[in-house]
Amino acid sequence: MRQAGTIPEQPDAVRFADYLFAHGIAAKVEPEADAWAVWVRDEEHVPRAITELDHFLANPGDTKYATAEHEAKARRAKLARREDEVRRNFVDMSRRWDGRGAGPAPLTIGLIVLSIAVAVFTRLGGFFGGADEATDPLINALGFTEAYRVIIDRVAAGETWHPLDAIRAGEVWRLVTPIFLHFSPWHLLFNMYMFYDFGRLIEGRRGTLKFGLLVLLIALTSNYGQYYFDTRWDPPYTSFGGMSGVIYGLFGYAWMKSRYEPTVEIFVHPNTVVLLILWFILCLVGVIGNIANWAHGVGLAVGMVIGIAPYAWRRMIKRFGRT
């Protein structure tokens, strides 16, 4: 940076610096003794700045200097927008495909611990013998509907019954708690692994509160979706459990963020996308067995909508804001 010269009055010096900036010469003004020095950033622009300064001192009232302030302001605004876009589009590739740099994930760990505790106390839904969903009070209490045997007994006794009776009676936790029920070791292990993978990334990037609300919303919608579609064509009873509906919702959310908002730094590896979509299809066509496919589908759809909504909203505002 070199000094192009001095100007006696500060307003004149600022106006001249704006004039230079409007014409592509970066300059700044600093006090110097009883005058104001004009400093030019780039060496190659110094000769032109000195020549322009001579013209300015000869005729400081020229109209071209009067309009320089507005031109400089517009140029600065344009540069600021460009720098902001560069910052928003910058992605740290060293952290792209994992959770490095993400914050703590206490809720993720807490939900995993709770799921494991439920699995222990229910013996994985009777997988290891003992009580099953019809006789275990914990399984019966956490299911979306009451256990089938309970329902049969009530109907046999002449009572009227509806699948949502327990929830309508105040047991609203049933809308969420099926996510903690698992019915085999591999069911639990696979779900906990995937939930930890997505949970630590999303909670670490978005914070515990936002992550908790996201999990709650996906759990509510995926569980209700499984109940609604499962009982629409079959008898009015449904039994399901597991974290997979939430996992597909978190996957859908992270997938959309990865594609449309990379600056959030929530990324899903392309191999993971292929694997989970393939698994979804295999479950859907019945290759895997008796799976809560509606929970998977609804969870995935809800997660994708939540993930892409901010981007879609900004695009809509940008598009219609210009018309």
Side-chain angles (χ1 to χ4, degrees):
M1 181 175 288
R2 282 183 55 191
Q3 187 183 123
T6 60
I7 298 176
E9 301 296 331
Q10 182 186 16
D12 290 340
V14 171
R15 189 165 68 255
F16 176 67
D18 284 343
Y19 172 79
L20 291 180
F21 184 75
H23 289 78
I25 301 175
K28 69 175 184 177
V29 175
E30 292 182 350
E32 183 176 292
D34 57 350
W36 293 85
V38 178
W39 292 85
V40 177
R41 185 184 65 186
D42 298 321
E43 185 75 22
E44 65 269 21
H45 291 153
V46 172
R48 181 184 172 189
I50 293 174
T51 300
E52 293 289 353
L53 178 60
D54 291 338
H55 294 162
F56 177 80
L57 292 174
N59 187 15
D62 194 315
T63 55
K64 68 180 181 180
Y65 303 120
T67 60
E69 180 181 359
H70 300 291
E71 295 175 6
K73 183 180 294 184
R75 183 179 176 85
R76 288 191 183 99
K78 182 178 180 180
L79 290 175
R81 288 194 299 269
R82 186 180 301 169
E83 290 174 0
D84 181 62
E85 184 176 352
V86 169
R87 282 195 300 270
R88 286 189 289 108
N89 290 331
F90 173 78
V91 175
D92 185 355
M93 296 300 295
S94 67
R95 304 190 303 173
R96 185 175 178 93
W97 305 120
D98 59 30
R100 283 183 294 160
L107 183 57
T108 299
I109 301 301
L111 293 177
I112 290 174
V113 170
L114 184 55
S115 297
I116 294 173
V118 170
V120 170
F121 283 110
T122 63
R123 296 188 179 186
L124 283 171
F127 181 85
F128 290 112
D132 59 18
E133 67 175 32
T135 58
D136 189 307
L138 181 57
I139 299 177
N140 186 37
L142 298 182
F144 196 90
T145 62
E146 295 173 288
Y148 183 64
R149 186 174 299 175
V150 174
I151 297 167
I152 293 297
D153 291 342
R154 289 187 179 180
V155 173
E159 298 181 27
T160 58
W161 176 84
H162 188 277
L164 298 181
D165 278 348
I167 294 174
R168 291 170 177 173
E171 298 178 10
V172 292
W173 61 82
R174 292 179 180 271
L175 294 166
V176 176
T177 51
I179 69 174
F180 300 116
L181 293 171
H182 293 84
F183 303 107
S184 70
W186 44 88
H187 186 205
L188 177 67
L189 289 173
F190 179 79
N191 278 0
M192 293 304 97
Y193 174 78
M194 296 304 299
F195 182 74
Y196 174 74
D197 202 33
F198 286 117
R200 72 187 178 101
L201 177 61
I202 297 174
E203 183 178 3
R205 296 280 190 250
R206 308 301 282 168
T208 299
L209 178 60
K210 288 183 179 179
F211 175 70
L213 292 174
L214 179 63
V215 169
L216 179 62
L217 182 57
I218 295 172
L220 288 169
T221 53
S222 62
N223 284 340
Y224 188 83
Q226 181 63 36
Y227 151 76
Y228 178 80
F229 291 108
D230 207 20
T231 59
R232 188 174 179 85
W233 295 284
D234 294 327
Y237 165 74
T238 181
S239 177
F240 61 89
M243 192 70 77
S244 53
V246 172
I247 290 168
Y248 266 99
L250 297 180
F251 160 60
Y253 176 86
W255 187 15
M256 293 300 98
K257 291 300 182 188
S258 180
R259 286 181 58 85
Y260 297 104
E261 292 188 277
T263 55
V264 177
E265 294 191 339
I266 295 177
F267 297 106
V268 181
H269 197 284
N271 291 346
T272 303
V273 175
V274 173
L275 174 64
L276 288 179
I277 294 299
L278 178 61
W279 184 262
F280 180 85
I281 295 172
L282 291 176
C283 292
L284 194 62
V285 298
V287 173
I288 306 302
N290 187 21
I291 302 294
N293 291 307
W294 289 113
H296 291 183
V298 173
L300 178 61
V302 170
M304 291 177 68
V305 168
I306 296 174
I308 201 173
Y311 169 81
W313 175 256
R314 288 194 300 269
R315 292 279 295 180
M316 185 178 68
I317 293 298
K318 184 177 180 180
R319 178 180 178 181
F320 291 101
R322 292 179 175 178
T323 58

